Amino acid sequence: MKALLVGEYRDGKILPSTYELVAFAQKIGAEAAMVMIGDTRTVPKFQGQLLLADAATYGEYNPDAHKKLVQEAVLRKNPDIVVLAHSSYGWDLAPRIANLLGAAQISEVIDYADGAFVVPVCNAKMRRNLKAKTAVTVVTLQAGAFGLAMEPEGTPDIEPLDIPDRVSSVELVSYEAAQKAAVDLSRADIIVSAGRGIGKKENVAMISELSEAIGGQLGASRPVVDSDWIDHSRQVGTTGQTVSPKLYIACGISGAIQHLAGMKKSEFIVAINTDRDAPISEVADVMVLADIKEFVPILIEKLKAVRRSL
Amino acid sequence: MKILVCIKQVPDMESKFRIDADNAWYSEDDLAWRMNEYDEYAVEQAVRLREQIGDSADLTVLTIGPDRVREMMKKALAMGCDRAFHVKDDVALRRDPFEIASLITAFAGDRGFDVIFTGMQSQDRGSAQVGVLLAEMLNIPVVTTVVNFSFADGVITVKRELEGGIKSVARMKTPALVTCQLGLNTPRYPTMPNIMKARKKEFITVNSVDLAKVDARLSTKKMYFPEKKGGLVLEGDAGKLAEQLLDILREKTMVLR
C-alpha cells in the first residue's frame, strides 16, 4: 500500500500529530511520502520524500490552495491512501481533498485490521470496520491512537511543490493565544473532575468539596465548562489541559474522546457513573456504579473521618 | 437573505445500544431520539442571524430521516426557523457522509442560500464531513469548528477552535457555510407561544428518491462492541461502596497514606 501523509505545520512549527501519521504508516506497512505546507528551515524528521510547499506563499490556513497542493502531490505519488490527523486542520481539509479526488473519506481511524479501517461510533460505545469503494481513500486518524515507539528520526528528500492558483476564499486574519490557565492541572497529583452527570450547577460545590477532602484539584469536562458551571481554566481534554495525575476521579463524566485524550495517561482512574457502558469505563481502573448525589456526600464523610485518624 | 440550517436526529448517547441483525449498524429500535447536540448550536446561530437581518431574512431547516424526525423539526421551528424541509428516508442514518451531502446539494443547489449552518459533526458518526462536503459540492467557502460568529455587510467573521485553547480568526464573503462547535452560543428553549406558532409554519416533506439517486462510497465490514478493559466494577449500597473504594485507593495509590 502507498500512503501520502499530510503533515501539519502551524505558526512556524511542525505539529506532533505529524509523527502519528508516520507511526500509522509504519504500523500498516505502507510505503509513505509526506506532503506539507511549511517552510524549508523547519522540516519534520522523516525518512522519505517530502513534497514541500511554502506556507508564506500559500498561507497556513488556505484550504482552497492546500487541497489543490495535496491533489498535485497525489498526482505525483499515486497513493492508495491520503492520511491526515483528525484535528482542526485535518477534519477541515480532508473532506475537501476527498471531494476533489472523488474519494471516500473515513474519519477518526483508531486501528487497521483485516484490510479495514476501524472507527468509533456513538461516543466510542461501538466500533465499525470500514472499507472504501473508491480507488483512493482519505483517512483521518484519532489523536493519540498511533504513536511512534522511538523518537522520530531521518532527513527527508525535499521535492518543491507549487501550483499556479493561490486564490483563497477564506482569509486567516490572526491567531488568538490560549488564555493562560489560572490553574495548572498538569502538576496536580490528584484531580477530581465533574461532568454533566452531576446534574446541575449547584452540585459543583459537592465535587469541589470532594476534591478538597482528598487533597486534589477540581477539574471539569467540556459540557460543564460550556454551561458555565466551572471555569474554562479547569477543563481537561484536547481543548483544555492534558493531565496525568496519580489519581483521577471522574464524577458523572461519560468520557467523550476529547476528554479521554486529555486524562487517560493518569496512573489510576476512578469513574463514578450510573452508565456501566459509558466510554469512560474503557480507561477506568475502578468503575463505581452509583448516583453521584447519594454517593459523593458519603464518600466525603468517610474521607474526612480517615483524614482525622491519620 | 436566505439561510439554511441542516440538522440530524441522533440517539441519546446514554442509550443502551444493540447491534443490528446485519452487523453493519446499531439497532434503531427502543432508543430515545434527540437533535444532534452540535446542530442545536447551528439552529440557534441561524435564528440569531435571522433576527439580526429582520423581515428580509428567511430561514429553512432541513433534515434527512424517517418519520420520527418530525418532532425534532417542530422544535427547530419553535426555536425560530421559518420553514421545515424533511427529506424522508428510512435508512438515512446508515448513509455515508458523501450520500448525505449529495442529497442536501440536490436540494440546495439552485435555491441560492446565502448562509448555511451545520453542526461540526454528529454525535453518532462523528465524521465531521457533511458540512465541508456540502460547501465543496456547492462551490462556496466553508470554515469548520466555529466558536464565534458575526455577520456584517456580506462578510462573515468567525473564530475557529484549534487545539490546546488556541483560536484563529477567519473571514469570508457570503454565500458561505460554517460548521458549529459546542459552546458557540446558548441554544434557546422553545417557549409555549412559539411552540403554538410553529404548528402553523410550512412543513414540506419529499422522498429522498425523488431528490437524487446517490451511491455510497463506503461499505461496512462489521459493527461490534469493543472488548472491555478489565477494570473493576463496583455496585451496591452507597456506604459499602465508599468503604470499598477507600480500601482500593489505600492499596493502589499514594492517597490516604
Side-chain angles (χ1 to χ4, degrees), chain A residues 142-161:
Chain A
Q142 185 182 93
F146 302 91
L148 286 173
M150 287 169 286
E151 282 292 300
E153 52 181 22
T155 309
D157 294 324
I158 297 177
E159 188 181 317
L161 184 66

Side-chain angles (χ1 to χ4, degrees), chain A residues 67 88 91-92 96 107 122 125 127 129 131 133 171 173-174 176 196 276-277 285 287 289, chain B residues 13 16 124 127 129 136 142 144-145 160 163 167 169 171 217 219 221 224 232 234-235:
Chain A
K67 76 180 176 194
S88 61
W91 68 57
D92 190 272
R96 305 177 199 256
S107 299
C122 289
K125 283 195 166 182
R127 301 269 185 277
N129 291 15
K131 272 187 176 172
K133 296 176 173 182
E171 179 198 354
V173 180
S174 60
E176 216 172 76
R196 186 150 46 185
R276 182 191 289 263
D277 297 324
D285 296 284
M287 194 72 185
L289 294 177
Chain B
M13 291 300 130
K16 184 84 189 156
D124 60 346
S127 69
Q129 293 181 34
E136 293 286 309
V142 47
T144 58
T145 337
R160 290 193 73 210
E163 285 71 24
K167 296 186 178 77
V169 180
R171 263 199 299 254
R217 285 184 172 176
S219 65
K221 294 298 141 194
Y224 50 97
L232 191 63
L234 304 179
E235 57 186 323

Side-chain angles (χ1 to χ4, degrees), chain A residues 2-177:
Chain A
K2 282 172 77 175
L4 178 68
L5 315 178
V6 184
E8 272 192 70
Y9 169 98
R10 186 192 302 150
D11 232 1
K13 293 190 192 71
I14 308 288
L15 298 194
S17 62
T18 302
Y19 297 108
E20 297 183 10
L21 310 180
V22 177
F24 171 75
Q26 285 179 2
K27 179 168 181 182
I28 68 170
E31 180 192 325
M34 190 182 290
V35 55
M36 180 177 271
I37 293 86
D39 76 73
T40 50
R41 297 176 308 281
T42 320
V43 295
K45 297 188 181 71
F46 173 63
Q47 206 59 50
Q49 276 196 311
L50 174 66
L51 289 85
L52 187 64
D54 184 25
T57 303
Y58 294 99
E60 286 185 15
Y61 181 67
N62 176 353
D64 295 328
H66 285 211
K67 76 180 176 194
K68 288 175 192 156
L69 286 161
V70 174
Q71 182 190 32
E72 173 63 23
V74 167
L75 288 172
R76 289 192 202 173
K77 295 298 160 201
N78 202 22
D80 304 294
I81 55 171
V82 179
V83 190
L84 300 92
H86 197 67
S87 61
S88 61
Y89 179 75
W91 68 57
D92 190 272
L93 186 58
R96 305 177 199 256
I97 296 168
N99 188 58
L100 200 57
L101 299 176
Q105 183 189 331
I106 301 177
S107 299
E108 206 174 13
V109 169
I110 56 170
D111 203 358
Y112 182 75
D114 307 326
F117 297 96
V118 183
V119 301
V121 184
C122 289
N123 210 357
K125 283 195 166 182
M126 289 165 282
R127 301 269 185 277
R128 204 156 58 114
N129 291 15
L130 288 170
K131 272 187 176 172
K133 296 176 173 182
T134 50
V136 179
T137 313
V138 176
V139 301
T140 62
L141 308 181
Q142 185 182 93
F146 302 91
L148 286 173
M150 287 169 286
E151 282 292 300
E153 52 181 22
T155 309
D157 294 324
I158 297 177
E159 188 181 317
L161 184 66
D162 272 297
I163 50 167
D165 186 5
R166 294 171 192 174
V167 181
S168 175
S169 62
V170 181
E171 179 198 354
L172 171 64
V173 180
S174 60
Y175 288 114
E176 216 172 76

Side-chain angles (χ1 to χ4, degrees), chain A residues 8 10 15 61 63-64 67 86-89 91-93 95-108 114 116 118 120-134 137 140 169-179 190 196 213-214 222-223 226 232 238-240 246-247 249 254 258 268-270 272-278 281-290 294-295 298-299 302-303 306-307 310, chain B residues 11-19 24-26 34 37-38 41 94 97-98 120-121 123-130 132-133 136-137 139-145 147 157 159-173 179 181-186 215-243 245-246 248-250 252-257:
Chain A
E8 272 192 70
R10 186 192 302 150
L15 298 194
Y61 181 67
D64 295 328
K67 76 180 176 194
H86 197 67
S87 61
S88 61
Y89 179 75
W91 68 57
D92 190 272
L93 186 58
R96 305 177 199 256
I97 296 168
N99 188 58
L100 200 57
L101 299 176
Q105 183 189 331
I106 301 177
S107 299
E108 206 174 13
D114 307 326
V118 183
V121 184
C122 289
N123 210 357
K125 283 195 166 182
M126 289 165 282
R127 301 269 185 277
R128 204 156 58 114
N129 291 15
L130 288 170
K131 272 187 176 172
K133 296 176 173 182
T134 50
T137 313
T140 62
S169 62
V170 181
E171 179 198 354
L172 171 64
V173 180
S174 60
Y175 288 114
E176 216 172 76
Q179 287 178 325
I190 302 171
R196 186 150 46 185
I214 203 163
R222 178 174 192 135
D226 281 344
H232 174 75
T238 43
T239 52
K246 294 191 168 71
L247 173 62
I249 303 182
S254 67
Q258 294 78 6
F268 198 82
I269 299 170
V270 175
I272 306 168
N273 211 307
T274 48
D275 181 5
R276 182 191 289 263
D277 297 324
S281 68
E282 276 191 56
V283 300
D285 296 284
V286 177
M287 194 72 185
V288 179
L289 294 177
E294 187 193 352
F295 177 73
I298 295 173
L299 185 62
K302 293 205 183 278
L303 262 171
V306 172
R307 289 261 170 217
L310 278 179
Chain B
D12 189 309
M13 291 300 130
E14 310 274 302
S15 300
K16 184 84 189 156
F17 287 97
R18 285 177 297 120
I19 307 289
W25 194 240
Y26 56 80
R34 53 167 294 172
E37 195 175 2
Y38 296 83
Y41 294 90
R94 285 171 172 257
F98 171 75
M120 76 145 297
Q121 62 183 359
Q123 288 173 278
D124 60 346
R125 282 178 179 255
S127 69
Q129 293 181 34
V130 170
V132 185
L133 282 176
E136 293 286 309
M137 289 174 182
N139 201 21
I140 60 173
V142 47
V143 172
T144 58
T145 337
V147 289
T157 305
K159 271 186 200 169
R160 290 193 73 210
E161 184 179 74
L162 311 181
E163 285 71 24
I166 302 167
K167 296 186 178 77
S168 68
V169 180
R171 263 199 299 254
M172 57 188 174
K173 289 199 180 107
T179 80
Q181 170 66 302
L182 304 178
L184 167 62
N185 48 44
T186 307
D215 291 320
R217 285 184 172 176
L218 292 176
S219 65
T220 303
K221 294 298 141 194
K222 62 173 174 175
M223 179 124 164
Y224 50 97
F225 287 98
E227 282 178 33
K228 288 279 174 208
K229 184 187 147 185
L232 191 63
V233 178
L234 304 179
E235 57 186 323
D237 172 71
K240 287 196 184 112
L241 280 179
E243 294 284 357
L245 180 59
L246 291 178
I248 291 167
L249 292 183
R250 237 178 248 124
K252 303 274 189 184
T253 75
M254 296 299 291
V255 186
L256 310 176
R257 286 190 191 175

Side-chain angles (χ1 to χ4, degrees), chain A residues 199-272:
Chain A
K200 54 183 180 183
K201 186 174 186 172
E202 288 68 29
N203 292 338
V204 170
M206 179 175 75
I207 308 302
S208 184
E209 194 186 344
L210 174 60
S211 72
E212 278 167 32
I214 203 163
Q217 284 281 0
L218 177 68
S221 71
R222 178 174 192 135
V224 303
V225 171
D226 281 344
S227 305
D228 285 331
W229 294 0
I230 295 179
D231 187 69
H232 174 75
S233 64
R234 294 186 179 273
Q235 186 179 322
V236 174
T238 43
T239 52
Q241 301 190 53
T242 300
V243 301
S244 49
K246 294 191 168 71
L247 173 62
Y248 190 92
I249 303 182
C251 303
I253 293 178
S254 67
I257 292 146
Q258 294 78 6
H259 187 80
L260 298 187
M263 50 63 77
K264 66 183 175 191
K265 292 196 175 128
S266 305
E267 279 179 31
F268 198 82
I269 299 170
V270 175
I272 306 168

